Amino acid sequence: MGGNKELFDVEKNDKLGRYAVASQDLKAGDVIFSEKPFAYGPKSDSPCLCLGCYNPVDCTKLCSKCSWPVCSDDCEKLPCHKDFECDVFSKAGVKFQPVEDPTDVCLQYECITPLRFLLMKEKDPKRWEAEVQPMEAHNDIRKTKPIWEFNQHNVVEYLRGPCKLDRFPEDLIHTVCGILEVNAFEARTPSGYLIRCLFPKLAILSHNCISNIHHAIDCKGTGDSEDFSVTVRAAIDVKKGAQLHSSYTYSLWPTLVRREFLKEGKYFDCTCERCSDKTELGTHCGTLKCQRCDNGVIVSTNPLDDTCEWKCTHCDYKTTAVAVRKVYAAIQADLDQVEYVVGPEGLQQRETLYKKYKSVLHPKNSYINILRSALVQLYGKADGYSLEDLPDIILERKVELCTQLLEVLDVIEPGKSRIRGMVLYELHGPLMVLARHQYQNDAIKKEQFKEQLRKAIDALGEANEILKQEPETLPEGQLSKITEQAYQQLNENFDMLVETAC
């Protein structure tokens, strides 16, 4: 933070353990702290990646020293590889074993990030003792789970055996694996691929399904110690002494899915305000439509009980949480099928799913919102669907999709959140084009046109205020340069835009 005071204090109690509170009143956008990761590297279940830049590789190029996959001579010289696993593997003579399909999960990579973690413990023992050692690994719970045996075979025995690192005790390696599983955060590389980073200060923030902070991880792409530093800001105004909450899960998921993810991966039951409310604070992210009556919706009778009954609000229809979870899983499987389909085909396939499920799901249901999030980005960008190509009825649909999504985000991701900034950016374009069309066709008067134009520019301005928080190495940060310039030009040329619209 360049020497600036960090704006949080650490407190502790028996229920929460360590947690962070604001040390002074915070305004939305205030920087609370920044930090470098203690360790970072491939996620668990990773395919084959370059161990320097983390781009996918076909494994034909290997490091000249250790014979593990890299994508170039430059990458094998990067400190994140050269000063860590490369040295260990080359001294022990442990070489990468050829794989049939480099895009499949490669279990050889399971050891990389724990190994870097262990080596950092030796390189920076003061930070380990002060920041990392107090972190929770949940070894008592993890010993009863399949993950323990998985790590025993793929990490512990591999490092202590072939890699000749028996100076690290088994319990310590398991603890390192547990700390990573429970506390690591995902980060995107400049190419868009995901790795995991351990930020000890960020991990202190307790979980809440409605976060009041926003974190942005900056990858400078150099591979040195500056890589993947995180900056944590207040997403909303926060009073002095209030807890600072991060979210460990995806905000658009419904409660059943979020709580299952947290229970299985983070080893706790979330009882936050959103999880405790059967309507998810009025967003109805988990609500289904009743198929027995016209006006009823199906909600949980006890959202903190993952096995309870779900009932219709208008008739006597009942079902189980297990059945609802199966519905969610089927829908998620459909979404997974189209996740990487882009262009006109991706747009059409998602519209098909939207129509398929709108009779089953509440209009604000999570899976409808996930589809909205994808559609608002495709309309205006896919070939044949640029803003100037779209008829008014489709422009109105994009505005509607953005507006409906923002209504939910106002509750579940309030304030200066990345997704809100992106949706506001997507909203401003169709608002402007629609207003111009309506004015040109005499559907609205000049004053109304000016109001609509100002509304669009204000949406762009708010998007810019959010996106400028994003690192320039990420797409959102790059977009902020465009939004800032466009916002400035639109304001400066507002009168001319009005006069030349006809």
Side-chain angles (χ1 to χ4, degrees):
M1 261 187 65
N4 292 339
K5 180 186 177 184
E6 294 172 339
L7 305 183
F8 75 102
D9 294 321
V10 178
E11 298 187 0
K12 187 175 182 179
N13 63 32
D14 292 339
K15 182 179 180 181
L16 295 175
R18 296 188 306 156
Y19 61 96
V21 299
S23 59
Q24 65 181 57
D25 289 348
L26 301 173
K27 292 290 186 183
D30 283 351
V31 174
I32 303 171
F33 65 89
S34 295
E35 69 171 324
K36 299 174 184 178
F38 183 78
Y40 60 89
K43 296 174 60 180
S44 188
D45 295 334
S46 174
C48 295
L49 301 173
C50 170
L51 290 176
C53 70
Y54 314 106
N55 282 342
V57 291
D58 61 9
C59 300
T60 57
K61 170 69 176 174
L62 301 177
C63 174
S64 62
K65 185 178 179 183
C66 69
S67 299
W68 277 64
V70 291
C71 64
S72 69
D73 292 340
D74 289 339
C75 280
E76 77 169 61
K77 297 172 185 174
L78 292 174
C80 63
H81 169 63
K82 178 174 67 73
D83 295 345
F84 288 86
E85 67 274 356
C86 182
D87 189 53
V88 170
F89 292 156
S90 58
K91 286 179 179 177
V94 176
K95 296 184 178 181
F96 183 77
Q97 300 302 306
V99 296
E100 190 171 310
D101 184 355
T103 65
D104 282 346
V105 170
C106 182
L107 296 181
Q108 294 176 77
Y109 278 76
E110 293 295 326
C111 73
I112 299 296
T113 309
L115 171 55
R116 292 181 179 183
F117 195 137
L118 291 163
L119 295 176
M120 272 305 300
K121 175 183 180 293
E122 294 182 331
K123 292 173 185 286
D124 194 350
K126 289 184 179 179
R127 192 176 182 197
W128 161 266
E129 292 176 8
E131 298 183 8
V132 182
Q133 198 168 25
M135 298 176 76
E136 183 59 72
H138 292 292
N139 282 350
D140 53 336
I141 300 174
R142 291 173 56 256
K143 282 180 180 178
T144 67
K145 305 287 185 179
I147 190 65
W148 189 270
E149 286 302 317
F150 178 86
N151 288 333
Q152 177 69 25
H153 177 70
N154 292 290
V155 183
V156 176
E157 293 175 4
Y158 187 72
L159 293 181
R160 286 173 52 83
C163 293
K164 302 177 182 178
L165 295 176
D166 55 359
R167 68 180 186 270
F168 296 120
E170 286 196 9
D171 283 351
L172 173 63
I173 301 175
H174 275 296
T175 295
V176 163
C177 290
I179 289 174
L180 285 168
E181 289 161 17
V182 175
N183 299 283
F185 284 79
E186 286 186 346
R188 281 179 292 169
T189 68
S191 301
Y193 296 96
L194 294 174
I195 65 167
R196 55 179 169 171
C197 301
L198 183 74
F199 298 106
K201 290 177 184 175
L202 180 56
I204 293 172
L205 274 59
S206 54
H207 165 79
N208 193 294
C209 289
I210 300 177
S211 174
N212 59 8
I213 64 97
H214 168 72
H215 77 268
I217 301 173
D218 185 5
C219 172
K220 294 178 175 60
T222 62
D224 62 20
S225 61
E226 292 295 321
D227 269 14
F228 303 106
S229 61
V230 68
T231 299
V232 177
R233 289 179 168 87
I236 59 175
D237 293 350
V238 180
K239 291 292 186 183
K240 179 180 179 180
Q243 276 194 50
L244 297 172
H245 293 296
S246 175
S247 178
Y248 303 166
T249 184
Y250 184 40
S251 66
L252 287 183
W253 282 343
T255 293
L256 267 179
V257 178
R258 293 194 318 278
R259 296 188 82 244
E260 179 183 282
F261 172 83
L262 293 167
K263 182 69 171 179
E264 292 184 357
K266 307 298 182 181
Y267 308 109
F268 70 89
D269 291 306
C270 185
T271 59
C272 74
E273 186 181 10
R274 180 182 174 191
C275 284
S276 301
D277 186 276
K278 63 181 65 177
T279 69
E280 300 199 34
L281 305 179
T283 64
H284 288 280
C285 283
T287 302
L288 310 178
K289 285 185 177 178
C290 183
Q291 304 300 301
R292 293 263 186 93
C293 65
D294 293 334
N295 300 317
V297 294
I298 301 168
V299 295
S300 172
T301 56
N302 180 5
L304 298 183
D305 179 358
D306 299 339
T307 63
C308 72
E309 276 191 335
W310 284 54
K311 292 183 179 180
C312 175
T313 55
H314 279 64
C315 72
D316 60 359
Y317 177 76
K318 300 177 183 178
T319 188
T320 65
V322 173
V324 173
R325 187 66 185 89
K326 288 180 179 179
V327 172
Y328 291 166
I331 298 172
Q332 185 63 59
D334 276 351
L335 294 179
D336 291 343
Q337 289 291 317
V338 303
E339 183 176 0
Y340 299 107
V341 184
V342 295
E345 184 181 356
L347 197 157
Q348 292 158 12
Q349 289 185 16
R350 287 175 176 84
E351 283 286 18
T352 298
L353 290 179
Y354 193 100
K355 292 173 184 175
K356 176 180 178 180
Y357 289 118
K358 71 177 183 180
S359 62
V360 178
L361 304 175
H362 187 281
K364 292 184 177 180
N365 183 280
S366 287
Y367 298 103
I368 294 292
N369 289 321
I370 291 170
L371 286 168
R372 284 187 181 115
S373 180
L375 287 169
V376 298
Q377 295 182 61
L378 287 169
Y379 278 123
K381 294 188 180 69
D383 291 343
Y385 290 89
S386 69
L387 284 180
E388 298 301 331
D389 293 332
L390 298 180
D392 284 1
I393 190 170
I394 301 299
L395 289 170
E396 289 169 353
R397 171 149 176 75
K398 177 162 179 171
V399 170
E400 179 184 53
L401 291 169
C402 289
T403 303
Q404 290 169 334
L405 189 52
L406 286 169
E407 287 176 0
V408 174
L409 294 176
D410 283 343
V411 178
I412 66 173
E413 281 212 28
K416 295 180 180 290
S417 68
R418 182 180 297 111
I419 186 172
R420 180 179 178 82
M422 294 299 293
V423 176
L424 285 165
Y425 172 77
E426 295 295 341
L427 175 62
H428 95 277
L431 283 177
M432 289 189 68
V433 177
L434 265 176
R436 188 172 70 243
H437 288 177
Q438 291 170 341
Y439 185 44
Q440 290 171 342
N441 295 320
D442 296 324
I444 58 176
K445 300 297 183 183
K446 188 173 186 177
E447 286 304 313
Q448 291 173 297
F449 173 55
K450 290 170 70 174
E451 289 177 10
Q452 292 299 315
L453 196 59
R454 178 52 61 190
K455 181 179 177 182
I457 295 172
D458 287 346
L460 180 63
E462 187 179 351
N464 179 57
E465 284 298 309
I466 295 172
L467 296 178
K468 71 181 183 182
Q469 299 179 163
E470 299 297 319
E472 293 182 1
T473 51
L474 298 182
E476 295 88 351
Q478 294 162 15
L479 180 60
S480 72
K481 296 179 181 179
I482 299 172
T483 61
E484 185 171 16
Q485 185 177 18
Y487 180 63
Q488 182 179 347
Q489 290 177 348
L490 288 170
N491 275 311
E492 289 175 354
N493 300 309
F494 184 83
D495 291 337
M496 184 178 70
L497 286 170
V498 174
E499 296 305 322
T500 59
C502 290

